[in-house]
Amino acid sequence: MSSFSHVNQSGEANMVDVSDKQQSKRVASAESFIEMSAETLALIVSGGHHKGDVFATARIAGIQAAKQTSMLIPLCHPLMLSKVQVDFEVDADNQRIRIISTCKLTGQTGVEMEALTAASVAALTLFDMCKAVDPAMVITGTRVLTKEGGKTGHWQANS
């Protein structure tokens, strides 16, 4: 395993210098899950929530969060994202919603943190909008699914 790139030789936090890296197409996807009661899930899916379209609000929140990642996570580079997508899959059998985010750009550093931030904030937004109905919801399984580009090329999580 290589050493941590965000720590300099003196052990201090350090923003990685990417100025000498080649630009390449970078893509990353991430997921997160939010588990809830069957009643809450049905309320969201039916569109009957009194706060309106829960999925639309969570999607916008996820996209906005990806764009703000460098403001939220120390040492992340501000990036010119060319695409952010946030999708939802309803898993009624397991009483949960899967959030999948994808971020893209052409640049000198990866977009894994932006994809993770998008999925996380979308899940948090779902929680926020439904907490009065179901305060026992649980957010789980946040992880990177795939990454493409850069010197390490393609990587995919195990199923």
Side-chain angles (χ1 to χ4, degrees):
M1 181 178 225
S2 61
S3 62
F4 292 113
S5 60
H6 286 80
V7 179
N8 68 17
Q9 292 182 342
S10 301
E12 302 163 333
N14 177 52
M15 187 172 185
V16 175
D17 183 357
V18 297
S19 58
D20 292 332
K21 292 174 93 176
Q22 292 293 323
Q23 289 211 1
S24 66
K25 180 181 173 186
R26 313 288 185 124
V27 182
S29 61
E31 71 181 354
S32 191
F33 295 86
I34 183 164
E35 302 168 358
M36 61 194 67
S37 70
E39 295 79 17
T40 303
L41 186 59
L43 190 63
I44 293 169
V45 172
S46 72
H49 197 289
H50 73 279
K51 289 189 176 182
D53 188 341
V54 175
F55 287 134
T57 304
R59 179 176 285 113
I60 292 167
I63 292 167
Q64 285 297 105
K67 294 165 45 175
Q68 296 297 317
T69 300
S70 68
M71 299 296 291
L72 300 168
I73 309 294
L75 310 179
C76 279
H77 294 86
L79 302 179
M80 289 295 298
L81 296 168
S82 58
K83 175 73 174 168
V84 179
Q85 184 171 334
V86 177
D87 294 307
F88 304 95
E89 293 177 0
V90 175
D91 180 358
D93 292 340
N94 293 301
Q95 296 176 215
R96 66 184 186 174
I97 297 169
R98 179 183 185 217
I99 300 112
I100 308 102
S101 65
T102 303
C103 295
K104 297 180 183 181
L105 62 65
T106 298
Q108 296 167 297
T109 189
V111 290
E112 296 92 339
M113 293 308 301
E114 287 71 17
L116 285 164
T117 302
S120 298
V121 170
L124 290 167
T125 301
L126 289 172
F127 188 99
D128 180 51
M129 293 188 75
C130 299
K131 67 184 182 282
V133 175
D134 188 359
M137 291 177 293
V138 177
I139 296 170
T140 65
T142 304
R143 67 179 182 150
V144 174
L145 295 172
T146 63
K147 69 148 295 279
E148 300 173 30
K151 67 180 180 182
T152 59
H154 181 77
W155 177 88
Q156 185 166 340
N158 294 330
S159 295

